[in-house]
């Protein structure tokens, strides 16, 4: 890392790390973190290249793997001197980062929340699509990423009837820098299949999915929850993929119940 990740912080208590998805930044978690501030010290990083952890274009590598993001998190936690076991909640790409974090830093974890994420790797077609989008993002910036992703991120009802949510999600994506978009897209395309991890996972786990999630479907996330011993699945009503924006109160409730059950 050039320098430790930038982050937001809410509340006090035992550490809860909230990792954002693609192509967002830590602000994605604001509404949820505010609700959780009374039960945890919420630490919300901006992953490398995103938000205030922007990376100078000329020195940016072409690929940021999920392993690199996980090591950035470990380095940042060391920098903050967070050495007590923490709960890690990863949203979508944040969940892809949680898998290598779990592989390399199991001892740091007291609990794991997998929010709107996947364990499987990309298909060949999916990875090829990401490579094309990365090339366009380098030339055109965030616009093609937003237009391609927005219809999949939000439930049909949100797209049709909740313009304020659509605008908030769009705003969150608009600030993403071309180098970060491209490097993270290539990194996601290279992530390995993490399903072999599920059967031996020994960390208390919560699995959260939006009832209309078109990216990490209810069936797929139910499969993840079933494969992890003792995991609990919570389905968030009135939400697609963006549970943080479509129903932050229900997501916060699920996380609060999970955290307090670990105490
Ligand atoms: C995310 O929300 O992080 C993305 O939808 C993940 C992905 O593109 O696979």
């Amino acid at each position: 890392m050039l320098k430790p990740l930038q982050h937001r912080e809410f509340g006090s208590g035992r550490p809860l790390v909230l990792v954002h998805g693609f192509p967002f930044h830590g602000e994605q978690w604001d509404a949820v973190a505010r609700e959780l501030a009374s039960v945890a010290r919420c630490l919300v990083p901006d992953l490398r290249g995103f938000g205030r952890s922007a990376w100078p274009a000329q020195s940016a590598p072409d690929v940021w793997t999920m392993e690199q993001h996980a090591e950035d998190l470990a380095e940042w936690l060391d920098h903050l001197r967070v050495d007590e076991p923490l709960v890690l909640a990863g949203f979508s790409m944040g969940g892809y980062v949680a898998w290598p974090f779990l592989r390399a830093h199991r001892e740091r974890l007291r609990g794991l929340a997998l929010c709107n994420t996947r364990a499987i790797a990309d298909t060949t077609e999916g990875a090829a699509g990401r490579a094309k989008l990365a090339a366009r993002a380098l030339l055109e910036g965030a616009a093609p990423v937003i237009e391609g992703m927005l219809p999949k991120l939000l439930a049909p009802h949100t797209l049709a009837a909740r313009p304020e949510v659509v605008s908030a999600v769009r705003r969150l994506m608009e600030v993403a820098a071309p180098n970060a978009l491209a490097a993270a897209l290539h990194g996601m395309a290279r992530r390995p299949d993490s399903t072999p991890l599920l059967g031996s996972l020994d960390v208390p786990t919560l699995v959260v999915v939006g009832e209309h999630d078109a990216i990490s479907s209810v069936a797929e996330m139910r499969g993840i929850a079933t494969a992890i011993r003792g995991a609990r699945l919570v389905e968030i009503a009135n939400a697609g993929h963006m549970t943080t924006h479509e129903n932050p109160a229900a997501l916060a409730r699920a996380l609060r119940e999970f955290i307090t059950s670990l105490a």
Side-chain angles (χ1 to χ4, degrees), residues 178-194:
N179 64 345
L181 293 167
L185 280 162
H186 286 301
M188 287 193 287
R190 289 188 193 188
R191 72 188 195 281
D193 181 11
S194 290

Side-chain angles (χ1 to χ4, degrees), residues 21-22 24 91-94 96 130 149 153 188 215 241:
F22 173 90
F24 312 117
F91 176 90
S92 203
M93 183 177 78
Y96 307 162
R130 291 210 204 259
M149 287 187 73
L153 290 171
M188 287 193 287
I215 295 176
H241 191 61

